[in-house]
Amino acid sequence: MTQVEDQAFVTLATNDTYCLGALVLAHSLRKVATSRKLVVLITSGVTTHMRSLLASVFDLIQEVNVMDSKDEENLALLTRPELGITFTKLNCWRLTQFTKCVFLDADTLVLHNCDELFDKKELSATADVGWPDCFNSGVFVFHPSNETYKDLVKFAVEQGSFDGGDQGLLNMFFRDWSTKDISFHLSFIYNMNSNASYTYLPAYKQFGKDVKIVHFLGSMKPWQYSYNPSTGDVQFGSECQHVKEHLQYWWHLFIQFVHPHLQPECTGLAGQLSKMSVSSDQQEEGAASPYELALGGSHARQFAWERGQIDYLGTDSFENIKQKLDNAINGSQN
Ligand code: UDP
Ligand code: GLC
Ligand code: MN
């Protein structure tokens, strides 16, 4: 596939814990063979070791200064005091070496190739499930520009943000998003909010297989769930049954690509998780991609199939499946 040099997926991680999300996201983008560059914005809080892990999967690591709304009042209304720092996201407009970018929160996970997002213009985004006349700022298409960056910072200083985070600010800045032109509205399949399908399960049943990007919005992030290192199962309560396959896939990528390289010198959860020992079975299962694993026996393979990620011409080709069946019938392992 031809690589597009002047367009990029961009994410943000201000600390080692959010870097866990950024790393899994980047690996999920590599798995679907994106033709675009991968960029991560970091701040001084990210450790040297974590930077080396980021460098192994991102094309560009851009250090930026922390920007914080410090708007405690509105952040309290949002019940997310930690999100003032999301103003740092505005730095993405300074990536002027690229003509067009897609911003993805570090708590998103890509299930299918979605490079077609680059056909869209600034500012394209999905409606927020909390207030659908606003867009959700976890996934959006933008055109880097120093001019827009300056205007955004001026706007932030003069007007602030109604939610204390970037989403309130961006919605006031791009205020005609909901009415201007439907082509700026991205389908929900590009920002499937992990809380939403719970409230509208029949729609998830109908359209869930088309989802391309999952957004684990809310205070409980994939990296905060307990993971059983001997069985490979993520422990979740009944409230998130609908996203369990996505959480399981997040952990599959994490165990395969990220966990083996973590070091105790990483800070936050990244340091703690480096001490978790994973059984060799799980490492092995993690070592093969969902596409490479043969049918059956593997959670990851099963989840990939259930998501409709079927590699018709490769692993899952008729010839391979037939071979697998023949082997099983003849009692030989392959
Ligand atoms: N973020 C970060 N450090 C933080 C909080 C947030 O780097 O301490 C970044 C990260 O990319 C994250 C995004 O800002 O995905 C938005 O925050 P979050 O996803 O937690 O908000 P939600 O989508 O749950 O409202
Ligand atoms: C949201 C968005 C997130 C944003 C936050 C703060 O819920 O998902 O991307 O950073 O609000 O505005
Ligand atoms: Mn998010």
Side-chain angles (χ1 to χ4, degrees), residues 12-15 18 80 83 85-86 105-107 215 217-218 221:
L12 162 72
T14 63
N15 55 44
Y18 270 94
R80 299 291 300 280
L83 291 190
I85 203 166
T86 63
D105 264 8
D107 61 342
H215 184 185
L217 187 147
K221 299 302 182 199

Side-chain angles (χ1 to χ4, degrees), residues 209-270:
K209 63 180 184 324
D210 302 328
V211 170
K212 294 197 170 191
I213 305 178
V214 184
H215 184 185
F216 297 101
L217 187 147
S219 45
M220 189 68 178
K221 299 302 182 199
W223 47 90
Q224 290 166 319
Y225 284 84
S226 324
Y227 172 81
N228 182 332
S230 43
T231 63
D233 289 328
V234 183
Q235 324 281 300
F236 22 61
S238 55
E239 77 290 350
C240 50
Q241 284 302 311
H242 59 289
V243 280
K244 69 176 184 188
E245 68 188 65
H246 304 312
L247 277 172
Q248 195 75 54
Y249 182 52
W250 189 96
W251 274 89
H252 169 78
L253 293 180
F254 175 74
I255 294 296
Q256 179 180 358
F257 294 112
V258 182
H259 181 262
H261 310 289
L262 291 177
Q263 294 285 340
E265 74 214 54
C266 294
T267 53
L269 206 57

Side-chain angles (χ1 to χ4, degrees), residues 115-247:
D115 289 354
E116 68 277 12
L117 283 172
F118 290 90
D119 296 339
K120 296 284 185 173
K121 296 193 183 115
E122 176 172 289
L123 185 289
S124 294
T126 302
D128 186 67
V129 290
W131 196 270
D133 283 345
C134 289
F135 57 84
N136 180 274
S137 63
V139 176
F140 60 88
V141 181
F142 69 101
H143 301 160
S145 146
N146 284 321
E147 201 58 32
T148 311
Y149 171 73
K150 266 191 270 159
D151 291 347
L152 277 163
V153 173
K154 186 163 178 277
F155 192 90
V157 171
E158 287 170 4
Q159 324 251 342
S161 159
F162 67 77
D163 69 3
D166 64 291
Q167 182 163 304
L169 172 75
L170 291 173
N171 271 277
M172 294 309 283
F173 189 83
F174 295 100
R175 59 171 66 232
D176 57 359
W177 170 82
S178 74
T179 51
K180 190 165 74 179
D181 182 343
I182 193 73
S183 68
F184 292 92
H185 289 230
L186 296 182
S187 159
F188 197 58
I189 65 166
Y190 295 109
N191 188 349
M192 203 282 286
N193 176 329
S194 55
N195 301 321
S197 50
Y198 172 60
T199 53
Y200 199 7
L201 213 45
Y204 184 70
K205 213 172 126 213
Q206 179 71 15
F207 305 114
K209 63 180 184 324
D210 302 328
V211 170
K212 294 197 170 191
I213 305 178
V214 184
H215 184 185
F216 297 101
L217 187 147
S219 45
M220 189 68 178
K221 299 302 182 199
W223 47 90
Q224 290 166 319
Y225 284 84
S226 324
Y227 172 81
N228 182 332
S230 43
T231 63
D233 289 328
V234 183
Q235 324 281 300
F236 22 61
S238 55
E239 77 290 350
C240 50
Q241 284 302 311
H242 59 289
V243 280
K244 69 176 184 188
E245 68 188 65
H246 304 312
L247 277 172

